[in-house]
Amino acid sequence: MIVRRPLIAFSLLTLTALSACNRDRAEPAAPAAPAPGATAVVTPAEAAAPMAFESKSPYAEVRLTLPVALRSQPDLHARLYAASVRDLRAFAEGAQADRTEAGGDEGLPPYDKTIEITPGAETAKLFSLMRTASEFTGGAHPNAVFSAVLWDKALKREISAADLFTKPADMTALDQALCAAINAEKRRRDPAAQTVSLTGSGDWKCPRAAETPFVLATGTEPGKAGGLTFLVGPYVVGPYSDGSYEVSVPFSAFRALVAPAYAGEFGGTLKV
């Protein structure tokens, strides 16, 4: 039996590595590929980052797609592209080492990893993105990981849930609203679906809002977000066959939680 070593994973609930790279911009120099895991330095040449990346080998096929909307935020575009390409190259290098050391798998298809970044809603101050990374290294199905970026356009930096909400914030109301939205979507898909709760009395339970990636949700009031759309991956609230969930919570459910600096970015209700 072939034992596969875990490949290098990339977590992007917050772009910690990307924030670090903004502190040290380099002057134009000959491009050099950073070592896997190293902090990327954004050069002026990288400011015009491409909108896609693709690489194929006998060991791995990797792809990146970025939304056109990202062109409006060149700082974020350059760093997000650099970090994603670094992630994909590390995956490809790991795949080659894994397949070479394993041996005897010449008849198997290449490993595969796709990163797709799509826009959420945008307001005067905030820009949001959804990141879906799908990875296949053998087995019954690929694995998908969701993450998100919430970007302050004026400050040119990513903000976290801790920045968006008041401190300290009692997130109970938002947790309950997220759980209710998940159950509503489960019933929409299957009227007989098992209900989940925050306490998790069954096989699954609702995730906490602060621990779940989200993007801004389009609202009925122009220029403002009508709520938040949460990205819930497979296995979180049901079996893999249920797939993933994108559920939206209206602003009215968490109005009192939003920090004063961002309260004006929300208004109206969710746009249907």
Side-chain angles (χ1 to χ4, degrees), residues 101-214:
E101 292 180 11
D105 63 350
E106 292 83 358
L108 297 179
Y111 289 175
D112 182 274
K113 183 165 185 175
T114 299
I115 298 176
E116 181 178 13
I117 298 175
T118 54
E122 179 179 359
T123 69
K125 286 185 179 180
L126 298 174
F127 182 84
S128 62
L129 293 168
M130 176 194 313
R131 180 183 188 272
T132 304
S134 179
E135 183 176 306
F136 181 75
T137 58
H141 52 72
N143 294 315
V145 176
F146 291 123
S147 54
V149 178
L150 189 57
W151 181 258
D152 187 309
K153 295 189 289 186
L155 298 179
K156 297 186 183 302
R157 69 173 180 87
E158 185 186 3
I159 67 170
S160 65
D163 299 312
L164 182 64
F165 299 118
T166 56
K167 304 179 185 64
D170 181 355
M171 303 290 284
T172 303
L174 186 54
D175 290 340
Q176 293 172 342
L178 173 58
C179 194
I182 290 171
N183 281 310
E185 176 60 18
K186 287 173 71 71
R187 288 191 298 270
R188 187 192 68 79
R189 297 183 185 185
D190 177 7
Q194 177 185 358
T195 299
V196 290
S197 68
L198 288 166
T199 56
S201 56
D203 296 331
W204 320 100
K205 67 178 181 179
C206 287
R208 298 288 176 174
E211 300 168 358
T212 307
F214 61 80

Side-chain angles (χ1 to χ4, degrees), residues 11-32:
S11 175
L12 194 74
L13 178 55
T14 58
L15 298 177
T16 305
L18 302 187
S19 296
C21 73
N22 194 39
R23 294 196 297 265
D24 186 18
R25 289 180 175 268
E27 294 299 322

